[in-house]
Amino acid sequence: MEALIVGNRPLESNVIELAKNKLVVAADAGADRLLKYNIIPDIVIGDLDSISDKTVTKLEEWIVTNKNIQKTDLEKAVDYTFEKGASKIQIVGWSGGRIDHTLTALGLAFNPKISLIDEHFTIEAVTDSKTIKGKENTLFSLMAMPEARVSVTGARWNLQHEQLKMGGRGIHNEIGSSCEVTIECHSGNLLVIQGNFVLPHD
């Protein structure tokens, strides 16, 4: 079973397509965001400190209250979704707003079953080896947290057992002419941030 978790940040219209044939879980006021696209979540979970009263009334039967102050509402939604048997989770409505919440959400991507999606990027972990595909010059970046030893082939700029640290090194690469890039993480923790756009070249 695949699932879509929706946080309390502005959504793009692609949420309609992403929600199809998935378990849809709203993290607190993510339910308000979904209703703007006429999407009824299968469940709403959180401490309910930001969801509107109108939405609580409308979705009362689908609400699970979780007051655990040690976890964010997105983390609660992830826990719930895995408990329900999800094998893959996409998360939208996670970026922007409070920087502490955004960074916490980013940490969720280190689970290889989770991908974070916003209007421009998809973020996923590279545990051993990962292949990404796209048109030539499609942007991607690598982020080590805090460091990782990495090899990259098929990109505009390839790497061979490079030691990356969190920072600018690894940011901004592009898919090469083969339209396929292989990324290997030999050690450490690594995220790949793949854009959905092609960079122009003169």
Side-chain angles (χ1 to χ4, degrees), residues 143-192:
M143 180 172 288
M145 295 182 73
E147 57 185 28
R149 189 162 55 87
V150 180
S151 295
V152 177
T153 56
R156 187 176 185 192
W157 296 284
N158 290 324
L159 302 174
Q160 187 64 32
H161 287 264
E162 289 276 347
Q163 190 74 25
L164 298 184
K165 295 184 178 181
M166 189 174 181
R169 178 73 169 143
I171 299 297
H172 186 110
N173 205 335
E174 298 170 28
I175 294 176
S177 59
S178 67
C179 300
E180 185 173 294
V181 170
T182 298
I183 303 162
E184 295 178 86
C185 180
H186 306 291
S187 63
N189 297 309
L190 185 69
L191 296 177
V192 57

